[in-house]
Amino acid sequence: QVQLVESGGGLVRPGGSLRLSCGASINFFSSYGIGWYRQAPGKQRELVAHITRGVITNYADSVKGRFTISRDNAKSTVYLQMNSLKPEDTAVYYCNRDIPFWSWGQGTQVTVSS
């Protein structure tokens, strides 16, 4: 069973930055496309950033130009650099592979508030 561990969240003021990390306990991590998802209270989980195994990246319109996804296959880790954070970015952030998903991790809480 693959374990996903997200970290790096916290409380930040609007305009601030955070860097999230996603670790996976799996060999051949480089074989998988990985997405960062977020779920705000009362809302559905949404995909905000994705990186293919060939390191092609895509972003939701709401985060384009502010968030950057990257990966370090040697460390089986994917990162999400979040800049110019807004209150509407407040959510629990998760990572997962392309469908079919692995079991979801606990996520990491990001709160943007003054």
Side-chain angles (χ1 to χ4, degrees):
Q1 184 77 352
V2 177
Q3 285 192 314
L4 292 165
V5 179
E6 300 93 349
S7 62
L11 173 63
V12 64
R13 295 185 185 277
S17 298
L18 286 173
R19 188 194 194 203
L20 307 184
S21 297
C22 163
S25 61
I26 188 170
N27 294 325
F28 307 111
F29 178 76
S30 61
S31 299
Y32 300 93
I34 302 292
W36 276 101
Y37 300 79
R38 68 186 181 188
Q39 187 167 20
K43 294 188 176 181
Q44 289 190 328
R45 191 170 295 174
E46 61 172 344
L47 176 66
V48 296
H50 181 269
I51 187 166
T52 68
R53 56 184 182 178
V55 295
I56 295 171
T57 59
N58 283 286
Y59 300 92
D61 287 344
S62 58
V63 306
K64 203 170 291 184
R66 300 187 297 121
F67 289 11
T68 302
I69 189 171
S70 61
R71 67 190 302 162
D72 184 340
N73 291 328
K75 296 182 179 180
S76 296
T77 301
V78 171
Y79 304 98
L80 186 68
Q81 178 67 44
M82 305 188 297
N83 299 327
S84 302
L85 282 161
K86 303 175 180 180
E88 51 263 44
D89 295 319
T90 295
V92 180
Y93 284 71
Y94 303 87
C95 62
N96 214 317
R97 60 164 288 183
D98 297 336
I99 293 174
F101 295 133
W102 293 315
S103 295
W104 293 92
Q106 295 297 307
T108 186
Q109 175 71 48
V110 172
T111 303
V112 185
S113 175
S114 55

